[in-house]
Amino acid sequence: MELGLKNRKALVCASSSGIGLAIARGLAAEGAHVFMCARNEEKLRKAADEVQTATGNRVATATVDLSVANAIQPFLDKVNEALGGIDILINNVGGPPPSAASETSSQMWQSGFEQLFLSMTALTTQCLPYMKRQKFGRIISVTSISVVEPIEQLGISTAMRAAFTAYCKTLSNEVAPHGITLNTIMPGVIHTPRIEYLRTERAKRLGTSLDEEMAKTRATIPMHRLGKPEELAHLAVFLASERASYITGQNFCVDGGL
């Protein structure tokens, strides 16, 4: 299937590893001009080299902490300078440290709000004018299955991602007449550094090992395995394409049946 992504301009956030990296690689493989960003310069540079080697397409990069409000506009100026606009926005941000909802302090809630809600809503809002002018836009946000089924010890992530999902649905109705679609992808247990970190923290709490916790996790998934980042990326690439022009305001689980 020809997806119509050649020469489209895509910004992929948190793309130095895991799901973000897989989406950047998938879009570049379809001929899109990709801009990758993350907080760690060394990891980002290695990821960009990997994408370029795998796809033969050069990508642009910049390090940025999008939870810092006054960093967003200067960062978007760099993106616009490199790409000449943004057709596709992949909202993606790493999760906060695990914590029970009952043990989360006001400061932790505030930090999570800035990291998981404000950063993505601000970035989305500032990308809309260009998309509206050209009557085309694809905004795909990576959230979590915790939106529909809360996950133990992920109180901040669950609450903030649920709020952001509601925002996306509301905004999707507002911008649909402009040819802009908004959809979210809710990963289940995708094998990324984040999952290994969370299972390591769980092992510390329970006095078990990482291998034991990973085995327990696999046993809860109907497919009896963890997902691969590229399995989620395939859906993101499709939703970013011309072929997904009548799909908006939807939340898709990629979770092996979990």
Side-chain angles (χ1 to χ4, degrees):
M1 181 186 294
E2 172 54 53
L3 295 179
L5 283 167
K6 188 173 178 58
N7 295 324
R8 286 293 184 187
K9 305 156 188 174
L11 169 58
V12 186
C13 299
S15 48
S16 62
S17 66
I19 290 170
L21 173 56
I23 295 174
R25 185 166 51 238
L27 289 168
E30 292 293 329
H33 300 303
V34 175
F35 196 107
M36 300 170 62
C37 70
R39 288 177 294 181
N40 186 298
E41 184 175 1
E42 183 179 356
K43 287 179 63 179
L44 181 61
R45 185 171 60 251
K46 289 180 179 178
D49 289 344
E50 179 185 328
V51 171
Q52 290 174 175
T53 300
T55 67
N57 288 338
R58 289 190 60 81
V59 300
T61 65
T63 54
V64 64
D65 183 350
L66 293 172
S67 66
V68 179
N70 60 10
I72 293 177
Q73 189 55 58
F75 166 68
L76 285 178
D77 290 342
K78 291 181 182 178
V79 178
N80 284 318
E81 183 178 351
L83 299 184
I86 299 171
D87 301 316
I88 300 159
L89 170 63
I90 306 294
N91 276 316
N92 182 39
V93 62
S99 71
S102 59
E103 298 171 359
T104 300
S105 67
S106 295
Q107 184 176 0
M108 292 167 68
W109 283 119
Q110 181 64 36
S111 178
F113 177 61
E114 293 171 358
Q115 178 186 0
L116 294 175
F117 186 85
L118 279 185
S119 66
M120 293 198 289
T121 55
L123 187 62
T124 298
T125 298
Q126 293 185 51
C127 287
L128 287 176
Y130 177 84
M131 294 179 177
K132 286 181 177 179
R133 284 196 298 272
Q134 65 175 4
K135 294 290 184 180
F136 179 93
R138 298 285 185 268
I139 300 171
I140 297 122
S141 302
V142 180
T143 59
S144 168
I145 58 166
S146 66
V147 169
V148 293
E149 185 171 331
I151 298 173
E152 177 189 10
Q153 292 290 317
L154 292 185
I156 300 171
S157 179
T158 296
M160 298 308 160
R161 294 192 192 281
F164 183 73
T165 300
Y167 159 83
C168 287
K169 177 59 180 175
T170 303
L171 183 61
S172 71
N173 293 340
E174 296 175 10
V175 300
H178 300 280
I180 302 169
T181 67
L182 280 90
N183 294 288
T184 71
I185 301 177
M186 301 180 288
V189 189
I190 308 296
H191 200 157
T192 65
R194 168 73 174 174
I195 288 299
E196 293 200 359
Y197 163 73
L198 291 173
R199 294 305 178 271
T200 298
E201 291 299 303
R202 180 182 293 176
K204 290 177 183 177
R205 290 196 307 272
L206 300 178
T208 58
S209 68
L210 174 59
D211 286 345
E212 288 176 291
E213 292 307 317
M214 294 294 267
K216 289 179 188 176
T217 297
R218 287 192 293 272
T220 66
I221 301 169
M223 286 190 173
H224 290 175
R225 67 176 178 86
L226 276 61
K228 302 172 184 177
E230 57 266 29
E231 291 177 305
L232 185 146
H234 294 323
L235 174 59
V237 170
F238 173 72
L239 291 174
S241 76
E242 298 276 4
R243 302 295 170 256
S245 58
Y246 204 56
I247 303 171
T248 194
Q250 303 304 307
N251 309 309
F252 297 92
C253 281
V254 180
D255 63 359
L258 181 60

